[in-house]
Amino acid sequence: MVSDEEILAAQNWLAQHEGIFVEPASAAPIAGLFKCSDSSGAAYSFREIPEASRIVCTVTGHGLKDPDVIIGRMKELDAVPPR
């Protein structure tokens, strides 16, 4: 189980580090991966995962399905001119 805060942190991490904008529900698998691999009582540790390993998490919902969540967390939006 992951908390809303953990899900929103995972959503933010995906956007910042992977350039993937998902709705909060789609960030839940990433939050779960972080939780089971990062905490002190974790079942697995990122340090123990071999370098060539692949971890697959399905994220299907685009962030524009629920933009109010991210807009509510932003202080200011910058307009970008169309190209």
Side-chain angles (χ1 to χ4, degrees):
M1 291 179 61
V2 292
S3 68
D4 288 347
E5 292 89 23
E6 291 167 324
I7 290 171
L8 294 176
Q11 181 190 33
N12 190 46
W13 185 90
L14 278 171
Q16 287 186 349
H17 297 279
E18 299 296 332
I20 300 172
F21 181 36
V22 298
E23 66 174 323
S26 287
I30 304 301
L33 172 67
F34 289 163
K35 188 169 190 169
C36 80
S37 299
D38 248 359
S39 67
S40 59
Y44 304 99
S45 168
F46 282 125
R47 291 181 290 281
E48 296 172 11
I49 298 171
E51 181 132 354
S53 297
R54 289 185 188 189
I55 298 171
V56 178
C57 293
T58 302
V59 292
T60 59
H62 193 281
L64 293 177
K65 285 177 75 175
D66 193 0
D68 295 336
V69 172
I70 198 78
I71 289 171
R73 293 177 26 223
M74 298 180 75
K75 293 182 181 152
E76 187 175 317
L77 298 175
D78 294 329
V80 178
R83 293 190 248 155

